Amino acid sequence: MALISFMINGQPWKGQVEAHETLLDLIRDKLGLTGTKKGCDSGECGACTVILNGLSVNSCIVPALEVEGKEVLTIEGLSRGEVLHPIQEAFISEGAVQCGFCTPGMIMSTKALLDSNPHPSKQEIRQALAGNLCRCTGYGRIVAAVEKAAKMGGDDLAGNDSREISDKV
Amino acid sequence: MTGTLKYETPHSLAELWPLLVSDRELTGFLAGGTDLIVKYKRKQLNLTRFIDLKNIESLKGIWLDENKNLHIGSLTTLTELHTHPLIQKHAPLLAAAARKMASVQIRNRATIGGNLCNAAPSADLAPPLLVLDAVVKLESDQGARELSIKSLFTGPGQTALKIGEVMTEVMVPVSEPSDKVTYLKQGLRQAMDIAMAGVAVKLNMSGNLCQEAAIALGAVAPTPIRVKAAEEWLRGQRINEQSIAKAAELAKIAANPISDVRTTADYRSELVSALVTKAIQECMTQV
Ligand SMILES: Cc1cc2nc3c(=O)[nH]c(=O)nc-3n(C[C@H](O)[C@H](O)[C@H](O)COP(=O)(O)OP(=O)(O)OC[C@H]3O[C@@H](n4cnc5c(N)ncnc54)[C@H](O)[C@@H]3O)c2cc1C
Ligand code: FES
Ligand code: FES
């Protein structure tokens, strides 16, 4: 048991964490952020993908204790209140979601991709999503959604955030 | 994960050594955790303590010394390996191999030290490092020693590391632009797959004559191996269909594959010969 503090979706969190606890269990069970999914629990499926200090990781194999002092972004941190992130909009409008279990992970991997490569090729998109498995849609619509998100300016690089920033929501 | 587990985070090797006076056998060094945490969760490891190495700055970084050796900190991630300008320039084979591994998420965590210390026969960085004649640096409270990568692997999951020893660095002689190098990996899918067989080749040519050859195989023997017979055969040969076929045959003989969940021993043997052929051919297309 140890006390850790870290930033989650821009908010500070402080609390007790066990040595055997994973980041995935911490964010789902202690923080109640259940958007991040547990699929394989062993690094294979990508359902648990979150962004840790700017890099996408499988939260099911990151010890919770390791995030002390770091920044974690989960699917819940993408929208601004009611205003969805362009990547989320693109997944909806392209119909890239069926059961939705893989979707939060797909979207976080997409965000990590677009923030480092705002205009990826199809091949680059496929490679970037190789660690995210979908059992429903087939990958065609997902790749199309990522292409659309890129066109919409779905990266969050400086000055290229297409969402309206509103203090009211 | 369950059970009582201790977790320590030393900030230097000096802070690490005193932690190792007790419970050394029950301690797991944690680098990226992509092997360790997965095995721990599957209850394949009997550990009471993780020591996270990631706060030890001296295990990080990539630099070139005056003798043209590339020094790669053991905590260097696969993402860093395939994107770092020094690796791309001086060890392109390593950059290319890292890119063929796992997924973005795993590559962001997995380290070169972890890949080697985990010592899977299929470890993708092993064949490239074998043909590059890499040397690893090992340290303990007793001091430091250097070991040729050829002597590192002693069996499946087994290395020459003594209990309490840490891998601090991987040293790689820089590749010359004239070196022809390639790493081919065959899995079931293109991405995210453990190799059924992996082949690294490095050739030094003078015209069409082979001056030096290095060939290493992964996933087809209890450890990653160099294929001396094929290397000796190629030395001094003209590279043509016949000499390549003979080298491929010698590699196949040297392999000692098993059947497992991924494929059969017979198929692995055939893969070795096909991949060695293809790898040499690919080297020859490099200008
Ligand atoms: C989904 C998935 C896909 C994968 N794909 C591939 C693949 O394509 N190719 C491949 O080769 N591997 C693959 N792996 C295996 C793994 O990711 C790699 O072997 C990785 O490089 C291990 O590094 P790590 O830093 O995560 O090691 P860890 O899990 O942290 O450690 C592995 C072992 O090495 C020891 N160790 C680590 N660092 C040191 C050190 N500096 N000194 C002494 N001991 C140390 C640890 O104690 C442990 O026993 C995959 C794993 C997963 C989960
Ligand atoms: S739940 Fe983490 S990768 Fe599948
Ligand atoms: S939508 Fe069901 S797993 Fe992808």
Side-chain angles (χ1 to χ4, degrees), chain A residues 20 41 49 56 60 66 132, chain B residues 1 3 41 54 105 108-109:
Chain A
H20 64 256
D41 209 15
T49 304
S56 59
C60 68
E66 236 189 71
N132 292 83
Chain B
M1 292 195 278
K41 281 186 165 188
K54 282 191 293 299
Q105 295 97 312
N108 283 338
R109 299 277 301 168

Side-chain angles (χ1 to χ4, degrees), chain A residues 97-103 134-137:
Chain A
V97 183
Q98 275 187 35
C99 79
F101 197 81
C102 69
T103 313
C134 177
R135 297 286 86 163
C136 301
T137 66

Side-chain angles (χ1 to χ4, degrees), chain B residues 214-217 225-232 247 250-252 254-255 276:
Chain B
I215 300 178
L217 311 178
I225 51 167
R226 282 272 294 257
V227 192
K228 238 180 147 180
E231 296 173 357
E232 277 167 11
L250 289 168
K252 188 172 157 182
V276 168

